[in-house]
Amino acid sequence: MIIKGIFETLYMTLMSTLLAYVIGLPLGVILVVTEKESILPNLGLNKILNIIVNLARSVPFLILLIAVLPITRFITGTTIGSTATVVPLVIAAAPFIARLVESSIKEIDKGIIEAALSMGASPFQIIYKVMVPEATPSLIVGAAIATTTILGYSAMAGIVGGGGLGTIAINYGYYRYEKGIMIVTVILLILIVQVLQEAGMQIARKKDKRK
Amino acid sequence: MSRQLEEPIIEFKALGKTFSSANGEVKALKNINLKIHKGDIFGIIGMSGAGKSTLVRCINYLEKPTEGEIWFDGRELGSLNEKDLRKVRQSMGMIFQQFNLWMQRTAESNICFPLEIAGVDKKEAKLRAQELLKLVGLEDKAGAYPAQLSGGQKQRIAIARALATNPKVLLCDEATSALDPTTTESILNLLKDINKKLGITIVIITHEMNVVEKICSHVAIIDKSEIAEAGKVHDIFTHPKTQAAQRLVYPNDNRINHLVGKRCCRIVFDGSSSYDPVVASMILECKVLVNILYADMKDIDGKAFGELIIQLPEDEKTADKVIGYLHSKNLQAEEVSNYVG
C-alpha cells in the first residue's frame, strides 16, 4: 500500500510538473519578451497575461482543486485517483512556473541579448539560442522548487481522494487514527522532497559554466 | 582627393534621437552629419553622456533614430523591414565594453553563433571558428568557457565572434574601457592589424584620447549630443578649433592662467619636423634664452605631435626674430600674449 502510494505520488508530481512546464515555460518566456524594452514588446498581451497569472495564483489550491472538478471530469472522465489529480495540479502549477521562468530569464544580462541582436538574430532565435540556454542553471533550480511545491499540493489532493501518500495519510492517519502510518507517510514525503531538491541543485551546479 | 568622391560606407544625414520618458524628452543626438569611408578607423570620442553609445547603436539600428537617416553600404536603414535589417546586421560586427559573451557556451561556440544565425552549416562554422581563434591568438582556448578567460582574452573572443560573418564594419563600443593599459594596447594592436589585413572599416567609440591617438585615422568629437568637430586625427590634433576638442586634446590645461600679461608664443608640432632639435637650434640661432611654460608632446605613429608654449624675450626685435625663425622652419607659431581662453 505504501509502495503504491509512493509511486502514485511520484507519478502525479512528475507528470504534473512536466505538463505544467509545457504551459508555464512558454508563458514565462512570453511574459518577459512582451515587456516594453524587450525583443517582442506587446504591452496589451503582457498586461492580460499578468492578470491571468495573478488571478490563478491567488486562488488557494484546496479551493481550486474543488472548483475545477467539472473540468477534471471533462478531461479525465473521473474526479478521483491520481490521474484526475494531475488536472488541478497542472492548473495551479503552470502560472507559478511561469513566474519562476520569468524571474530566471530576467536575471540574464541585457548585454548578451543586445550582442545577439547586433548579429541579426531574430526574436525566436534569441529565445531558444540565448535566453533559455543562458538561463538554464537558474531554470533547473526553479524546476526543483516547482517539483517540490507540486509534491506538497499533490498530498493536499488526498482530501478529495486524489491518491498517493496524501490519501493514505488522510484515510489511515486522520480518519482511523493510525498514527504510525501518518508518521511513515510524513517521513517519506520529507525524503522525496530532499531527494528531488538535492538532485535539482546538483544538476544546476553541473550545468553552470559561470564558475 | 578621390576619397571625397568615393561613396562612404556609413553616412549619417541630419540624424537625431530623442528619448521620451515620464520626466519629459531627452535629446540624445542632434543633427548628426558624418561620413565614414571604407577602410577607415574612425574614432568617435566624447565625455560620458555625450551620446556616443546611442550614436554607434544607430549604425546597426539597435537604436532607431527619431530624425534623419542613416545610410549603410548604399541603403537607408530606416527603409528596411525587420528581416532585411537583420540581414544587414549580419554584415556588421559589434564588440562591447563588457564583452557580452554567452557564459554557457564555449569560446568556439560563441564564435559559431553568428554563423548559425547566418545559416552556415556546422562543420564549416567550426572551421571558420578555428581560423578566427588563430587570428586573435587563442587557438588553444576553443573549449574554454568565458568564465575561465581573462578580460583581454574575452575581448579577443568577442572580436573573433564579431568577425565570424566577414562583416564590412566592426563597431566597438568602449571596447577597451574595462581593460588595463597593457591589455588595452594589445587589443588596439589587434584591431589595427585586423584593419590592415582584412580592410574592414572600424568605428570606435571611446572617451579616451589615447585610444584615438593610437589607432584612429579619423575622429569625430561629440559634445552635448552634437558633433563638435570631425576630420583626420592629425588635423584635429594639431588644430583643435572648438573648446570640446581642446578639452580632449589638452585635458589638464591650466596654462591660460599663467599666460595672462606675458608675451608668449605657441608652437605647434604636427609631425613634420619631429627629430629636429628645433628649440635648441632656435636658441643658438637667435641667441636668446627662452622660458618653456608649457609642453605637451605625444607620439602618434612615430611622429611627434603636440604644442609648446614659450615666453618670448622682452625685447621686441629679438621676439620677432624668434617667431621669424620658427616660421622659417615651417612650424606653426603664433603669439598668444592676449590669448585668454
Side-chain angles (χ1 to χ4, degrees):
Chain A
M1 177 184 73
I2 296 277
I3 303 284
K4 188 172 166 248
I6 293 173
F7 273 110
E8 277 180 6
T9 293
L10 284 176
Y11 161 74
M12 279 190 289
T13 305
L14 298 179
M15 191 70 174
S16 308
T17 309
L18 191 75
L19 291 176
Y21 262 93
V22 171
I23 302 167
L25 184 66
L27 191 57
V29 170
I30 294 169
L31 281 170
V32 178
V33 298
T34 54
E35 276 193 353
K36 198 178 165 204
E37 297 286 321
S38 196
I39 52 176
L40 283 171
N42 186 334
L43 288 188
L45 181 63
N46 189 269
K47 218 166 222 162
I48 292 168
L49 289 179
N50 263 306
I51 291 171
I52 293 174
V53 167
N54 284 342
L55 276 178
R57 293 211 53 214
S58 48
V59 181
F61 180 67
L62 202 55
I63 296 171
L64 184 110
L65 184 67
I66 296 158
V68 300
L69 281 177
I71 302 175
T72 306
R73 182 171 328 205
F74 177 74
I75 295 174
T76 63
T78 173
T79 60
I80 51 165
S82 43
T83 302
T85 310
V86 169
V87 176
L89 280 177
V90 170
I91 294 173
F96 173 58
I97 286 168
R99 285 280 182 237
L100 285 174
V101 169
E102 183 190 14
S103 86
S104 289
I105 292 181
K106 272 191 181 163
E107 279 169 29
I108 301 175
D109 180 14
K110 292 233 163 22
I112 62 171
I113 291 166
E114 191 181 34
L117 278 172
S118 79
M119 287 163 199
S122 67
F124 190 59
Q125 285 169 324
I126 289 177
I127 290 168
Y128 81 94
K129 280 180 186 282
V130 177
M131 285 182 165
V132 174
E134 288 294 313
T136 297
S138 170
L139 286 172
I140 293 170
V141 172
I145 296 171
T147 313
T148 49
T149 306
I150 290 170
L151 182 78
Y153 284 173
S154 82
M156 231 185 270
I159 289 188
V160 293
L165 292 173
T167 300
I168 293 171
I170 284 169
N171 288 351
Y172 293 83
Y174 185 68
Y175 295 129
R176 295 198 200 167
Y177 305 106
E178 287 182 34
K179 271 204 184 124
I181 291 196
M182 179 71 113
I183 290 164
V184 168
T185 55
V186 169
I187 290 171
L188 281 172
L189 284 170
I190 291 171
L191 283 177
I192 294 172
V193 167
Q194 291 293 333
V195 168
L196 289 174
Q197 185 68 39
E198 193 50 37
M201 301 310 269
Q202 288 291 347
I203 297 169
R205 212 168 299 142
K206 263 234 167 88
K207 279 259 172 193
D208 196 353
K209 307 299 183 190
R210 278 175 296 185
K211 10 182 151 67
Chain B
M1 282 204 280
S2 65
R3 196 189 134 73
Q4 297 306 321
L5 301 172
E6 233 176 85
E7 276 286 301
I9 185 147
I10 298 166
E11 184 171 6
F12 298 87
K13 288 185 181 169
L15 186 113
K17 170 83 185 179
T18 309
F19 289 103
S20 35
S21 69
N23 309 326
E25 294 195 330
V26 182
K27 272 205 179 278
L29 294 171
K30 280 183 265 184
N31 193 29
I32 305 285
N33 289 289
L34 211 55
K35 287 181 185 173
I36 298 173
H37 288 87
K38 224 173 166 183
D40 285 355
I41 301 186
F42 199 105
I44 297 173
I45 186 166
M47 307 286 172
S48 8
K52 48 194 194 308
S53 277
T54 311
L55 186 65
V56 75
R57 278 166 180 71
C58 283
I59 299 177
N60 58 10
Y61 244 62
L62 287 179
E63 290 287 0
K64 292 182 177 53
T66 44
E67 292 150 46
E69 295 175 349
I70 170 97
W71 288 73
F72 173 75
D73 207 17
R75 295 213 273 181
E76 205 273 297
L77 297 187
S79 69
L80 302 179
N81 61 29
E82 282 291 318
K83 207 176 149 210
D84 288 338
L85 192 59
R86 290 202 286 268
K87 263 254 133 29
V88 168
R89 281 180 184 152
Q90 289 171 13
S91 54
M92 300 187 211
M94 189 167 185
I95 59 173
F96 306 85
Q97 179 172 5
Q98 296 304 332
F99 325 122
N100 292 349
L101 295 175
W102 298 298
M103 304 303 279
Q104 311 292 346
R105 283 172 172 255
T106 60
E108 185 186 48
S109 166
N110 263 282
I111 300 170
C112 286
F113 182 92
L115 297 165
E116 282 170 35
I117 299 295
V120 176
D121 86 24
K122 276 219 165 109
K123 254 194 195 153
E124 214 171 299
K126 280 204 159 185
L127 284 175
R128 175 87 183 123
Q130 280 305 320
E131 238 173 80
L132 287 157
L133 282 165
K134 207 167 174 185
L135 179 76
V136 299
L138 292 174
E139 297 105 306
D140 53 334
K141 297 290 184 196
Y145 285 93
Q148 300 161 327
L149 301 172
S150 71
Q153 289 173 328
K154 281 184 204 163
Q155 197 60 292
R156 280 169 188 269
I157 297 297
I159 290 170
R161 180 178 71 173
L163 294 175
T165 49
N166 278 318
K168 294 180 173 132
V169 174
L170 178 63
L171 308 173
C172 311
D173 183 21
E174 297 276 11
T176 58
S177 302
L179 304 173
D180 64 64
T182 321
T183 315
T184 296
E185 177 111 5
S186 78
I187 293 290
L188 292 178
N189 284 334
L190 174 65
L191 289 174
K192 201 171 195 173
D193 214 38
I194 287 163
N195 168 263
K196 270 199 192 129
K197 259 192 218 159
L198 311 176
I200 186 173
T201 310
I202 300 181
V203 180
I204 293 182
I205 297 292
T206 183
H207 65 273
E208 295 169 306
M209 196 62 196
N210 65 329
V211 170
V212 174
E213 283 165 17
K214 183 107 210 308
I215 67 166
C216 293
S217 57
H218 295 74
V219 64
I221 292 161
I222 182 164
D223 183 45
K224 300 191 188 82
S225 316
E226 287 177 283
I227 300 286
E229 225 171 311
K232 286 190 171 171
V233 171
H234 168 275
D235 295 342
I236 302 272
F237 203 84
T238 44
H239 309 286
K241 290 188 208 87
T242 56
Q243 277 217 351
Q246 284 165 1
R247 259 206 314 274
L248 284 161
V249 177
Y250 313 114
N252 27 25
D253 191 1
N254 47 12
R255 67 203 148 107
I256 291 151
N257 299 333
H258 301 295
L259 300 184
V260 182
K262 286 178 186 163
R263 222 185 140 190
C264 300
C265 175
R266 175 173 182 260
I267 308 166
V268 178
F269 293 90
D270 60 2
S272 44
S273 57
S274 51
Y275 296 108
D276 269 358
V278 181
V279 178
S281 335
M282 179 192 75
I283 294 168
L284 290 175
E285 189 93 355
C286 307
K287 299 191 179 59
V288 289
L289 293 175
V290 294
N291 187 14
I292 295 174
L293 296 174
Y294 177 90
D296 185 16
M297 308 294 286
K298 298 183 190 215
D299 179 38
I300 302 175
D301 252 350
K303 290 176 187 166
F305 286 88
E307 66 166 355
L308 188 67
I309 294 180
I310 57 171
Q311 193 179 351
L312 291 170
E314 298 291 323
D315 177 21
E316 293 272 324
K317 251 189 171 166
T318 352
D320 290 342
K321 204 171 159 194
V322 168
I323 294 182
Y325 176 82
L326 292 169
H327 281 299
S328 75
K329 289 284 170 195
N330 284 328
L331 282 173
Q332 302 270 338
E334 43 176 342
E335 230 182 296
V336 288
S337 55
N338 298 317
Y339 180 78
V340 190

